[in-house]
């Protein structure tokens, strides 16, 4: 388990910020959930140098053309013209028809759909955005194209040199180190809140400034949210994602667990193995505390060691990211836990209204304030019948211009340290650099191994059962320990 981080966050270098941000390896609910619709020009360097060595012909000498379909997400599909325009400007021949499809909304559904397509040896999609928390099992099974073998040495070196190392690693084969996927965007959560509602109950800009880089306790957080909800005209206090899905196990519960001092496998050093030869600690007292924290936020019955008020509705046990995002943007909640893209969505929706947006790190428990690592990477279907064109899309997607456009249009962070200044000066994200910086410094990955998809399903089911009071926190933790140990032993 990581050491507590109750102290103030110190400033960091620009490279460390983006490296930390890109250490993201989690967020299960991001696919198709991106929210922003700002349309500022990307400006700056268009990344022309990114296209060195690009080809415009196939291996047999033919011209590149045809269709390249991409399982991406709703926001990509809605803004297809903007994104494909940049991809063509960055080197994809005009003869290539790039189609960005929404695929499935939930990460688990998208994972299952991709598995179905691969098992059927379907040529569609050519490319897919994969959650970097479940990509490695696809890589190990040989279900994705080895880009190290298919693409130029120059391009592969460029990704290694320019990309956030921890993001790049999530697309590598764990044994050979070959690259199978390129980073698209890293992500991590914060608490977005209604400044105007807190002002109504006496909080000031001085408080808001303190909250940006000095996380408040879960106890104080729940207290002030309850205070603001009572005084404001809103339906909900704090909204978050507690549904039985991958985002609960990898992210929301992971944050509760780590904040309370618990861990899946005895600490961060064991997250990635060795499978079957690491302690399973998901059933101990600290793990129970993590489940009870989530229950207290809903029911306020004082189960956890903290004095936490019930400020979340029972419905959070059935919500994922788009649900809470829509509620907060509609000004029906005091606060929400959501990913960085949700900041841009709220900023856009609040414009011209009395609602004021604030951002803070997640609240702290006895072990500090911890944020799940998230992010998505771009992979190629081995059964694609248009790999030559798909490779051109991959190369263009790695351009600075595309990464800037992603931030401007979809509120997705760039995966390159060199674009740090663009984020810091961004009109939407610049004002919230301090809480983003704190979150980026205090990230907790999921235990991404070949058995994690199975373990994730077990964890989400048991924790959700506790959140809905179908079983106690202690019973859920005991079942978790038993089932996770069995998976470890059978691996």
């Amino acid at each position: 388990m990581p050491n507590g981080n109750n102290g103030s966050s110190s400033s960091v270098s620009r490279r460390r910020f983006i490296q930390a941000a890109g250490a993201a390896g989690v967020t299960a609910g991001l696919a198709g959930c991106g929210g922003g619709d700002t349309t500022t020009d990307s400006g700056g360097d268009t990344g022309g140098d990114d296209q060195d060595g690009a080809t415009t012909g196939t291996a047999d000498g033919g011209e590149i053309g045809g269709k390249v379909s991409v399982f991406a997400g709703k926001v990509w599909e809605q803004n297809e013209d903007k994104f494909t325009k940049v991809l063509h400007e960055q080197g994809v021949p005009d003869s290539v028809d790039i189609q960005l499809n929404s695929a499935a909304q939930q990460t688990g559904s998208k994972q299952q759909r991709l598995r179905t397509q691969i098992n059927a040896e379907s040529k569609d999609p050519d490319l897919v955005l994969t959650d970097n928390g479940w990509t490695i099992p696809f890589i190990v099974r040989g279900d994705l194209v080895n880009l190290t073998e298919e693409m130029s040495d120059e391009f592969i070196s460029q990704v290694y040199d320019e990309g956030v190392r921890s993001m790049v690693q999530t697309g590598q084969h764990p044994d050979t180190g070959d690259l199978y996927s390129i980073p698209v965007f890293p992500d991590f959560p914060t608490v977005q809140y209604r400044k105007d509602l807190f002002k109504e109950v006496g909080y000031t800009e001085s408080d808001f400034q303190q909250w940006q880089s000095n996380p408040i306790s879960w106890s104080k957080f729940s207290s002030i949210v309850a205070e603001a909800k009572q005084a404001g005209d809103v339906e909900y206090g704090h909204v978050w994602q507690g549904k039985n899905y991958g985002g609960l196990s990898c992210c929301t519960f992971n944050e509760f667990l780590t904040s309370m001092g618990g861990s899946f496998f005895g600490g961060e050093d064991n997250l990635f193995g060795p499978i079957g030869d690491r302690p399973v600690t998901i059933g101990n007292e600290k793990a129970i505390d993590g489940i009870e924290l989530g229950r207290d936020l809903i029911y306020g019955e004082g189960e956890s060691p903290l004095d936490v008020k019930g400020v979340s509705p029972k419905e959070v046990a059935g919500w994922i990211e788009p649900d809470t995002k829509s509620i907060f943007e509609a000004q029906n909640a005091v606060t929400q836990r959501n990913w960085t893209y949700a900041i841009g969505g709220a900023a856009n929706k609040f414009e011209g209204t009395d609602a004021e947006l604030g951002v803070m790190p997640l609240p702290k428990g006895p072990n500090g304030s911890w944020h799940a690592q998230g992010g998505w990477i771009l992979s190629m279907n081995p059964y694609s019948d248009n790999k030559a064109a798909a490779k051109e899309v991959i190369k263009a997607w790695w351009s600075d211009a595309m990464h800037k456009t992603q931030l401007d249009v979809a509120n997705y962070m760039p995966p390159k340290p060199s674009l740090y200044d663009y984020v810091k000066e961004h009109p939407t994200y610049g004002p919230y650099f301090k809480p983003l910086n704190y979150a980026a410094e205090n990230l907790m990955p999921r235990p991404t191994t070949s058995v994690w998809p199975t373990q994730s399903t077990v964890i989400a089911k048991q924790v959700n059962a506790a959140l809905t009071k179908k079983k106690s926190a202690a019973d859920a933790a005991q079942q978790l320990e038993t089932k996770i140990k069995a998976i470890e032993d059978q691996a």
Side-chain angles (χ1 to χ4, degrees), residues 97-380:
D97 177 20
I98 308 169
Q99 298 181 3
L100 305 180
N101 305 313
S102 61
Q105 177 117 309
Q106 289 188 40
T107 184
S109 300
K110 190 172 186 180
Q111 180 184 8
Q112 182 57 50
R113 183 173 177 185
L114 177 60
R115 185 180 294 117
T116 299
Q117 296 295 96
I118 295 294
N119 289 344
E121 300 185 3
S122 172
K123 63 183 180 181
D124 186 53
D126 299 285
L127 299 172
V128 60
L129 266 67
T130 54
D131 185 325
N132 66 1
W134 49 251
T135 304
I136 285 179
F138 279 85
I139 292 174
V140 172
R141 289 193 302 266
D143 288 340
L144 299 174
V145 169
N146 185 334
L147 299 182
T148 295
E149 295 179 350
E150 289 286 336
M151 312 220 25
S152 70
D153 292 344
E154 182 178 9
F155 176 75
I156 297 300
S157 296
Q158 187 179 357
V159 175
Y160 283 135
D161 292 343
E162 297 177 354
V164 176
R165 182 59 187 160
S166 51
M167 275 290 286
V168 173
Q169 287 175 331
T170 64
Q172 289 180 271
H173 193 291
D175 296 328
T176 68
D178 283 359
L179 189 68
Y180 284 70
S181 311
I182 67 165
V184 174
F185 65 93
D187 219 343
F188 44 86
T190 58
V191 169
Q192 293 114 51
Y193 65 91
R194 291 275 302 279
K195 271 189 181 183
D196 54 301
L197 297 181
F198 285 116
K199 285 180 179 179
E200 289 181 12
V201 292
Y203 294 95
T204 67
E205 287 294 337
S206 176
D207 296 304
F208 306 145
Q209 288 295 319
Q210 284 291 315
W211 297 349
Q212 283 194 333
S213 55
N214 293 282
I216 58 180
S217 69
W218 283 108
S219 177
K220 181 175 180 179
F221 174 75
S222 64
S223 179
I224 65 174
V225 170
E227 189 180 5
K229 179 181 181 296
Q230 184 176 13
D233 183 23
V234 290
E235 186 174 0
Y236 304 115
H238 180 54
V239 296
W240 44 280
Q241 303 81 36
K243 186 175 180 176
N244 177 9
Y245 82 124
L248 178 59
S249 50
C250 75
C251 307
T252 316
F253 172 60
N254 196 3
E255 291 155 4
F256 291 156
L257 175 70
T258 311
S259 173
M260 297 303 291
S263 62
F264 291 112
F265 299 106
E268 193 168 0
D269 291 343
N270 301 319
L271 282 178
F272 308 110
I275 300 169
D277 192 25
R278 54 184 175 175
V280 176
T281 53
I282 196 64
N284 67 19
E285 193 62 37
K286 297 297 184 183
I288 295 172
D289 291 345
I291 299 173
E292 289 177 341
L293 172 58
R295 283 165 61 104
D296 277 353
L297 284 170
I298 299 172
Y299 305 105
E301 295 177 348
E303 294 182 340
S304 74
L306 308 179
D307 180 18
V308 174
K309 298 184 182 299
V311 291
S312 300
K314 294 178 182 179
E315 288 88 344
V316 295
W319 286 344
I320 62 174
E321 284 82 354
D323 303 313
T324 57
K325 181 175 179 290
S326 297
I327 289 166
F328 187 71
E329 289 177 355
Q331 303 180 26
N332 285 331
V334 179
T335 61
Q336 75 160 334
R337 176 255 180 227
N338 218 324
W339 303 94
T340 53
Y341 66 82
I343 294 173
N348 179 262
K349 293 293 185 180
F350 287 1
E351 188 174 356
T353 74
D354 293 331
E356 296 181 63
L357 178 64
V359 178
M360 67 172 81
L362 299 186
K364 64 184 180 183
N367 192 48
S369 164
W370 294 94
H371 308 73
Q373 296 181 353
W376 290 78
I377 54 185
L378 186 63
S379 309
M380 189 189 300

Side-chain angles (χ1 to χ4, degrees), residues 391-459:
K391 287 190 284 187
E392 295 303 311
V393 173
I394 288 175
K395 285 188 282 190
W397 209 305
W398 190 246
S399 67
D400 286 359
M402 184 61 174
H403 293 145
K404 290 177 180 180
T405 302
Q406 288 179 175
L407 182 63
D408 294 336
V409 175
N411 301 306
Y412 291 152
M413 295 288 111
K416 295 176 181 174
S418 61
L419 293 180
Y420 166 85
D421 287 335
Y422 191 74
V423 177
K424 189 173 182 180
E425 300 301 323
H426 196 271
T428 299
Y429 286 89
Y432 308 113
F433 173 77
K434 286 184 178 179
L436 290 171
N437 180 62
Y438 187 95
E441 280 195 295
N442 296 282
L443 294 172
M444 177 52 58
R446 74 186 85 178
T448 307
T449 64
S450 59
V451 297
W452 173 247
T454 303
Q455 292 174 335
S456 173
T457 300
V458 170
I459 293 167

Side-chain angles (χ1 to χ4, degrees), residues 453-474:
T454 303
Q455 292 174 335
S456 173
T457 300
V458 170
I459 293 167
K461 181 178 180 179
Q462 294 298 322
V463 174
N464 181 263
L467 294 179
T468 55
K469 285 197 165 183
K470 294 177 182 176
K471 59 179 60 178
S472 69

